[in-house]
Amino acid sequence: EVQLVESGGGLVQPGGSLIVSCAASGFTFSSYAMSWVRQAPGKGLEWVSAINRAGSSTSYADSVKGRFTIARINARNTLYLQMNSRKPEDTAVYYCAKDRDDSIRDHEYDYWGQGTQVTVSS
């Protein structure tokens, strides 16, 4: 059974650094691109970042580019998102999502985690 379990969210202040993670199981993690997608209160889903299977190519939404970093450790079946210079508008539920192939551009996901809440407040 494919499972994606996010962790590391919580109530945080602007600035500093926060890392959220996604533990994957039930499939060959190293064969697929992965993404982070978020949903702010009252808003729709917003794609945040993607990484290819080898971790050699990444892409970011304009809203987080230069502030967030996506990474993966395939030997641990884990995806990460490091959030620096956080802003209140980053408050959202963050989901990890498995792409159906190794593309970081097509945004075709077949499995999703349950999400982790990140709340940014001063």
Side-chain angles (χ1 to χ4, degrees):
E1 178 182 346
V2 172
Q3 287 192 303
L4 300 170
V5 182
E6 299 93 338
S7 62
L11 178 63
V12 298
Q13 294 181 327
S17 182
L18 176 71
I19 299 175
V20 294
S21 62
C22 171
S25 62
F27 67 100
T28 304
F29 180 74
S30 60
S31 294
Y32 298 92
M34 297 290 294
S35 282
W36 287 100
V37 182
R38 68 184 181 184
Q39 186 169 33
K43 303 291 183 62
L45 293 170
E46 177 190 20
W47 171 79
V48 174
S49 184
I51 187 168
N52 75 332
R53 67 177 187 171
S56 55
S57 296
T58 59
S59 61
Y60 299 90
D62 289 342
S63 59
V64 305
K65 190 175 182 63
R67 301 188 298 117
F68 291 9
T69 302
I70 190 171
R72 66 194 298 164
I73 300 178
N74 286 340
R76 298 174 63 180
N77 284 2
T78 305
L79 176 73
Y80 302 91
L81 183 69
Q82 181 172 335
M83 298 182 285
N84 298 322
S85 301
R86 297 177 302 280
K87 303 175 180 179
E89 52 263 44
D90 293 323
T91 294
V93 176
Y94 285 74
Y95 301 92
C96 63
K98 172 188 173 293
D99 200 278
R100 64 177 56 183
D101 52 32
D102 192 37
S103 173
I104 62 172
R105 304 291 183 183
D106 62 7
H107 306 287
E108 296 178 344
Y109 314 117
D110 52 7
Y111 293 96
W112 298 73
Q114 296 299 304
T116 185
Q117 174 71 47
V118 174
T119 302
V120 182
S121 176
S122 62

